[in-house]
Amino acid sequence: MIVAGFGFRKSASVGSLRNAYDRARADAHPDLLAAPDDKITVKAFRLFADEVGRPVRGVPADVLEQQSTVTQSLASLVERNIGSVAEAAALAAAGPGAKLLTERHISADKLATCALAMRETT
């Protein structure tokens, strides 16, 4: 299973999310989109999820904080107490044993990030 994890500002647009997603995924085809619990109802994120036709999973703040991320964003550390919201969301939603396929990629407008994680399913 491949999960695309997202971190984004409230002002992010569908285009911001799409740009970060396209930069992160290259040729991968994520099965699931993930973001912090409090962001999954943001209109732009819902519209983006509908556009790409993937289900969404929210990740609670305490679960995000338990993830070990490769990159460190000062904004993410201050706001969420985690180095990368996108990486943490992808890892958490993919489940135990998940590994990052890509570190976070930042949208051109710097309003959204996306990272991919993968967990082998048996």
Side-chain angles (χ1 to χ4, degrees), residues 28-44:
H29 299 284
D31 303 294
L32 179 71
L33 308 180
D37 270 348
D38 63 322
K39 294 281 188 111
I40 61 169
T41 59
V42 171
K43 184 177 181 180

Side-chain angles (χ1 to χ4, degrees), residues 2-9 12 14-26 28-36 45 48 52 71 76 84-91 100-117:
I2 298 175
V3 178
F6 288 86
F8 55 95
R9 299 193 184 272
V14 172
S16 305
L17 295 161
R18 184 182 318 106
N19 183 254
Y21 179 74
D22 288 345
R23 288 175 178 219
R25 75 180 188 95
H29 299 284
D31 303 294
L32 179 71
L33 308 180
F45 188 68
F48 172 73
V52 298
T71 63
S76 292
S84 168
V85 173
E87 291 174 13
L91 288 165
L100 283 178
L101 289 178
T102 66
E103 296 176 4
R104 70 184 167 107
H105 285 71
I106 304 168
S107 63
D109 63 8
K110 301 193 184 325
L111 297 176
T113 59
C114 181
L116 300 183

